[in-house]
């Protein structure tokens, strides 16, 4: 089993998976070097702070979800596993997207590598692929497919019992969430962003409802240690479904309402200018 069968004790261990720790450390170092280099050039640290704070918050949230005792708890209870996934998709990803970190990450690279990476990113095929992926409709569908596919019981349980699949699951959630939030924040108008956030809230809530109201246990491997924590497997599954249904749905609803308010304000401003 990828998730050990040991019962819980008084101490909750941290997870030090090199496939998680190394990429996070590399990205953190590159970002830090990029911030220092660019701040030295523009000499306006206040501007940099606006971008650094959400990136740091998003990175810390990602590390907290994947490395802290929350990850260990998620290996033993479906409820905490769901919390972990929602932090990755609905907290960490939007914060990192708000920071627009690509430029600063490139500035953290050596000059030759930076120029080579920039050349690759400017290639027509890369630009077309990126533009297609961050179209609002495409990004919403890609992210939605990743969420629903990985929550098919047989596939979810397979990820619980196989370390490689578990890593791929987390990577899929995070990468598609980055595409989704990038489309919402940077590439769509406020009205379209509100609509796609609303759609995502609806379909994730439906998935949560299906898990919460299911009359039997769907995720056998994930809930097999629930009894050690005072919950039946069905109760553990129901709590996990409630977390996807209500708290996660609230995040998408709040973001949708924010975009809707910005859309109304922007439309009112344009009407006032035309009057």
């Amino acid at each position: 089993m990828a998730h050990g069968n040991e019962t819980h004790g008084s101490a909750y261990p941290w997870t030090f998976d090199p496939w998680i720790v190394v990429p996070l450390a590399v990205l953190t170092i590159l970002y830090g070097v990029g911030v220092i280099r660019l701040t030295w050039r523009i000499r306006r640290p206040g501007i940099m702070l606006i971008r650094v704070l959400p990136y740091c918050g998003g990175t810390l949230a990602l590390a907290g979800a994947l490395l802290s005792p929350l990850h260990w708890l998620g290996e033993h209870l479906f409820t905490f596993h769901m919390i972990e996934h929602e932090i990755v998709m609905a907290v960490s990803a939007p914060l990192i997207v708000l920071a627009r970190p690509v430029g600063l990450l490139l500035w953290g690279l050596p000059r030759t590598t930076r120029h080579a990476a920039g050349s690759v990113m400017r290639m027509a095929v890369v630009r077309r692929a990126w533009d297609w992926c961050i179209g609002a409709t495409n990004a919403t569908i890609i992210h939605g497919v990743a969420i629903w596919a990985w929550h098919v019981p047989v596939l979810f349980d397979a990820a619980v019992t196989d370390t490689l699949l578990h890593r791929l699951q987390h990577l899929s959630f995070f990468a598609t969430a980055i595409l989704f939030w990038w489309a919402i924040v940077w590439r769509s108008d406020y009205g379209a962003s509100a609509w796609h956030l609303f759609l995502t809230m609806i379909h994730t809530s439906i998935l949560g409802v299906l898990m919460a109201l299911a009359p039997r246990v769907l995720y056998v491997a994930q809930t097999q240690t629930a009894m050690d924590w005072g919950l039946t497997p069905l109760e553990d599954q129901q709590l996990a479904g409630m977390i996807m249904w209500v708290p996660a749905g609230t995040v998408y609803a709040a973001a949708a309402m924010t975009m809707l308010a910005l859309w109304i304000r922007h439309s009112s401003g344009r009407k006032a200018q035309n009057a």
Side-chain angles (χ1 to χ4, degrees):
M1 294 289 290
H3 300 161
N5 293 322
E6 70 275 11
T7 57
H8 62 284
S10 59
Y12 301 126
W14 287 67
T15 300
F16 292 99
D17 184 345
W19 289 92
I20 300 172
V21 174
V22 172
L24 278 175
V26 170
L27 290 174
T28 300
I29 292 170
L30 288 178
Y31 192 82
V33 173
V35 168
I36 292 171
R37 285 178 175 173
L38 204 55
T39 302
W40 180 259
R41 282 175 171 263
I42 64 176
R43 299 183 183 277
R44 297 176 66 184
I47 296 178
M48 297 299 298
L49 194 62
I50 297 174
R51 299 179 64 178
V52 169
L53 287 179
Y55 184 81
C56 290
T59 302
L60 287 174
L62 188 62
L66 301 180
L67 301 177
S68 78
L70 175 62
H71 180 75
W72 183 85
L73 288 167
E75 294 176 347
H76 297 80
L77 279 174
F78 193 7
T79 302
F80 285 103
H81 204 171
M82 186 63 70
I83 294 173
E84 179 185 14
H85 288 171
E86 297 306 331
I87 290 175
V88 169
M89 293 186 289
V91 179
S92 175
L95 284 173
I96 290 175
V97 165
L98 282 171
R100 300 190 75 169
V102 177
L104 287 169
L105 289 171
L106 288 175
W107 273 98
L109 294 169
R111 181 190 296 269
T112 304
T113 308
R114 180 169 69 249
H115 290 166
S119 298
V120 171
M121 293 174 65
R122 288 191 295 270
M123 292 174 60
V125 63
V126 174
R127 293 298 306 173
R128 284 197 295 268
W130 173 250
D131 289 339
W132 187 88
C133 288
I134 60 172
T137 300
N138 293 337
T140 301
I141 292 173
I142 292 170
H143 189 42
V145 167
I147 292 172
W148 279 82
W150 281 111
H151 283 88
V152 172
V154 64
L155 193 55
F156 198 99
D157 277 351
V160 170
T161 57
D162 185 279
T163 301
L164 181 59
L165 279 179
H166 195 202
R167 291 169 180 157
L168 182 60
Q169 180 191 60
H170 287 169
L171 179 61
S172 299
F173 285 154
F174 181 67
T176 60
I178 289 290
L179 294 177
F180 172 75
W181 287 103
W182 198 283
I184 294 300
V185 175
W186 298 118
R187 296 304 290 269
S188 304
D189 61 65
Y190 296 133
S193 294
W195 170 246
H196 288 284
L197 283 163
F198 179 74
L199 286 178
T200 301
M201 178 197 72
I202 292 297
H203 80 71
T204 55
S205 295
I206 290 173
L207 180 57
V209 170
L210 291 175
M211 288 189 288
L213 301 184
R216 60 183 179 84
V217 176
L218 302 174
Y219 302 89
V220 177
Q222 172 64 86
T223 59
Q224 66 177 342
T225 59
M227 296 292 288
D228 297 333
W229 298 79
L231 294 172
T232 66
L234 185 58
E235 288 171 342
D236 189 21
Q237 177 180 290
Q238 290 170 339
L239 284 173
M242 288 293 293
I243 288 168
M244 175 175 278
W245 180 5
V246 182
T250 302
V251 172
Y252 293 113
M257 293 300 292
T258 300
M259 290 297 178
L260 189 60
L262 290 171
W263 178 61
I264 294 172
R265 180 180 178 183
H266 184 68
S267 299
S268 300
R270 286 191 300 180
K271 288 181 180 179
Q273 290 177 354
N274 295 332

